[in-house]
Amino acid sequence: MQKLAAGNWKMNGSVAALAEVRAIIAAHPSPACDMLLCPPATLVGPMAQTAKGSKLMVGGQDCHAKASGAHTGDISAAMLAEAGATHVILGHSERRTDHAETDAMVRAKAEAALAAGLVAVVCIGETEAERNAGQTLAVIGRQLDGSIPAGATADTLVVAYEPVWAIGTGRTPTLTEIGEVHGFLRNRLKGLIGAAAMSVRLLYGGSVKPSNADEIFAVPDVDGALVGGASLKAGDFGAIIAALSAA
Ligand code: PEP
């Protein structure tokens, strides 16, 4: 399985920031892992142009469940694909919180993504209160069951485990806790999509940085990372790409 280093720029970046993309491409012309960056929608086209001919793939951060229509401010999966995206992040905890996205909404968006030929990067993760209450596996199991698209395969689905309390906080679960969740997800996925689950990339996300990437990538069933803050700078994201390539 080819591992995946994915970056989520969130609502950050501008045309000037494409210099970081050029630096990543120059430093990693043929990495031993896949590389993906998901900028704001306005930068998907320009970043895809910048990445043309390189190994860097470009993705969106959300799409609408419908192909077109009266949905002011939204963007369809086909529009992202036309702009050069190959992937789209769906169900990020910030979308689930800020836009009240439910598992059913995430699944509908993921099915729209697949229909448009995009890979769906489906995010799940527990809150700190849920972890403290011993509900982590129950919560992420329910989110996985409810969010993954019908007909998902290893080529069309990536799952990102992102504990909400670890995003942007500098805190991470222990390596044992990460391993426990990823093992659980692999098994649960097997029950949902069968043998293909063995080849679905399971990413860990939440305060991944150059200083902890090596140890996180050594955890069984961690097939890469979804990286927020550290994906904004070529040096940091490049170090994470290098760590994953060496894992
Ligand atoms: C994220 O936004 O998906 C994320 C993991 O952020 P950070 O790496 O900054 O914690």
Side-chain angles (χ1 to χ4, degrees), residues 6-10 89 92-94 123 160-163 166-171 204-209 226-231:
N8 172 15
W9 277 16
K10 311 192 187 196
I89 297 171
H92 190 282
S93 68
E94 288 151 16
C123 302
Y161 166 56
E162 299 206 303
I167 294 177
T169 60
R171 298 164 58 209
Y204 168 77
S207 298
V208 175
K209 37 191 192 255
L226 181 54
V227 183
S231 71

Side-chain angles (χ1 to χ4, degrees), residues 27-211:
H28 301 279
S30 44
C33 66
D34 285 342
M35 307 184 291
L36 169 71
L37 275 178
C38 301
T42 52
L43 285 179
V44 168
M47 190 183 282
Q49 282 300 318
T50 302
K52 214 169 185 164
S54 79
K55 297 282 188 195
L56 181 73
M57 300 180 289
V58 177
Q61 298 177 9
D62 177 50
C63 70
H64 199 278
K66 295 265 166 54
S68 62
H71 303 289
T72 303
D74 281 316
I75 187 165
S76 75
M79 291 169 185
L80 288 173
E82 187 177 47
T86 53
H87 293 63
V88 59
I89 297 171
L90 295 167
H92 190 282
S93 68
E94 288 151 16
R95 300 270 337 159
R96 290 178 185 262
T97 303
D98 295 354
H99 300 271
E101 290 191 3
T102 63
D103 291 334
M105 290 163 72
V106 174
R107 166 175 280 156
K109 289 172 179 222
E111 288 175 351
L114 267 51
L118 297 178
V119 177
V121 181
V122 173
C123 302
I124 57 178
E126 83 286 0
T127 64
E128 187 158 30
E130 289 163 343
R131 176 163 281 276
N132 290 342
Q135 296 169 349
T136 298
L137 299 184
V139 168
I140 61 168
R142 191 181 65 232
Q143 290 177 334
L144 187 76
D145 295 355
S147 304
I148 67 161
T153 68
D155 292 329
T156 59
L157 175 68
V158 172
V159 175
Y161 166 56
E162 299 206 303
V164 178
W165 52 273
I167 294 177
T169 60
R171 298 164 58 209
T172 58
T174 66
L175 301 176
T176 304
E177 287 168 340
I178 294 173
E180 181 193 23
V181 169
H182 280 240
F184 169 83
L185 287 174
R186 182 79 68 200
N187 265 327
R188 187 91 167 201
L189 207 45
K190 244 189 264 173
L192 293 169
I193 66 169
M198 298 310 292
S199 310
V200 171
R201 271 89 63 90
L202 301 181
L203 310 185
Y204 168 77
S207 298
V208 175
K209 37 191 192 255
S211 58

